[in-house]
Amino acid sequence: MMLSKHPVVRLWPWVITALVALLAAGSLRAEPRAAEKWVERTGCRLADDRFADGDSFGLEWRDTKGGDVKRTYRLYGVDCPESDAGDKVLERRIQEQMDAFGTDRPTLLRFGREAARFSARLLRNGKVRILTRGALGQEVPKQSGRPQRRYAMVEVIDATGKPRWLHELLLEAGLARAYGEPVAWPPKEEDRHGGKAAAQAFRRELDNLERLARSRKAGIWGAEKWKAP
């Protein structure tokens, strides 16, 4: 019998082809999913949200059929002081923030309420624009008893009538720290931020804004620091 006619030998090409296909499929599954494209939405407005604070809030808009759509968003890259002293879910966060901001509990909560008012005032001012990854945005890890939040970049109109990112205004006012999820600037926004701005550049910019606010003793950075007895 000729070797080439042996059944095992005749199967080898098929076996090799199948192995190559499986390896390719495995490598495709191992690759991280490509980041979703940025989606821009205009005409948003502040929605009533009992869990709102400086960096998280409900926004609503009209869909193409004229219905109201509401989602809860969390700003990329910043963390405002907590504002609800009675929320037991946030107790660990409050303790961690007291150390990060270098202040006591009453001062932290006072500036948390100020940050919430600051954001609400700008979000009610109209002409709010949001940018999200995908139609609704990248999900924030879910917290028990709270609505699902999604990350967004939020643009508002400042007191001078200029469009500004809300996270920058909060940092400049000393009502937030550079913290949390960084993100690369959307392609349409790169010219405003020096060309190809990756997530690392986004983080550096926020860190610089925080340092400037600290040096000016703006907001919570200028409050009397808590000292142990």
Side-chain angles (χ1 to χ4, degrees), residues 68 75 84 104 147 169 226:
D68 288 331
L75 293 176
D84 189 352
D104 59 0
L169 294 172
W226 174 79

Side-chain angles (χ1 to χ4, degrees), residues 4-119:
S4 62
K5 294 186 178 295
H6 194 281
V8 174
V9 174
R10 289 200 303 271
L11 284 173
W12 269 115
W14 296 99
V15 172
I16 292 171
T17 301
L19 286 172
V20 170
L22 286 170
L23 288 170
S27 64
L28 287 174
R29 284 195 298 269
E31 290 178 359
R33 189 178 67 176
E36 294 185 272
K37 292 182 178 179
W38 285 98
V39 174
E40 177 180 340
R41 198 179 302 280
T42 57
C44 304
R45 59 189 181 275
L46 182 68
D48 290 336
D49 188 342
R50 66 190 183 94
F51 296 117
D53 59 18
D55 56 46
S56 298
F57 34 75
L59 293 175
E60 59 184 0
W61 61 87
R62 289 291 178 90
D63 62 18
T64 55
K65 297 180 181 179
D68 288 331
V69 179
K70 177 184 174 181
R71 295 289 185 273
T72 302
Y73 286 104
R74 169 79 162 85
L75 293 176
Y76 278 110
V78 294
D79 180 41
C80 293
E82 299 297 343
S83 57
D84 189 352
D87 194 331
K88 299 303 181 184
V89 174
L90 297 177
E91 187 56 38
R92 183 179 297 178
R93 291 273 299 136
I94 290 173
Q95 294 297 323
E96 189 268 334
Q97 285 186 341
M98 285 167 56
D99 292 335
F101 285 104
T103 192
D104 59 0
R105 186 188 185 92
T107 303
L108 181 87
L109 296 170
R110 176 165 63 88
F111 278 97
R113 292 189 291 271
E114 176 58 29
R117 288 191 293 268
F118 183 93
S119 291

Side-chain angles (χ1 to χ4, degrees), residues 90-159:
L90 297 177
E91 187 56 38
R92 183 179 297 178
R93 291 273 299 136
I94 290 173
Q95 294 297 323
E96 189 268 334
Q97 285 186 341
M98 285 167 56
D99 292 335
F101 285 104
T103 192
D104 59 0
R105 186 188 185 92
T107 303
L108 181 87
L109 296 170
R110 176 165 63 88
F111 278 97
R113 292 189 291 271
E114 176 58 29
R117 288 191 293 268
F118 183 93
S119 291
R121 185 166 58 248
L122 290 166
L123 293 168
R124 290 193 187 102
N125 202 25
K127 298 182 180 179
V128 175
R129 182 171 74 109
I130 67 171
L131 293 169
T132 60
R133 284 295 181 98
L136 296 178
Q138 172 189 355
E139 290 187 352
V140 178
K142 185 78 166 60
Q143 286 184 315
S144 176
R146 279 168 169 65
Q148 178 63 63
R149 297 180 298 166
R150 298 171 185 271
Y151 285 110
M153 297 184 68
V154 179
E155 186 183 71
V156 296
I157 304 301
D158 70 7

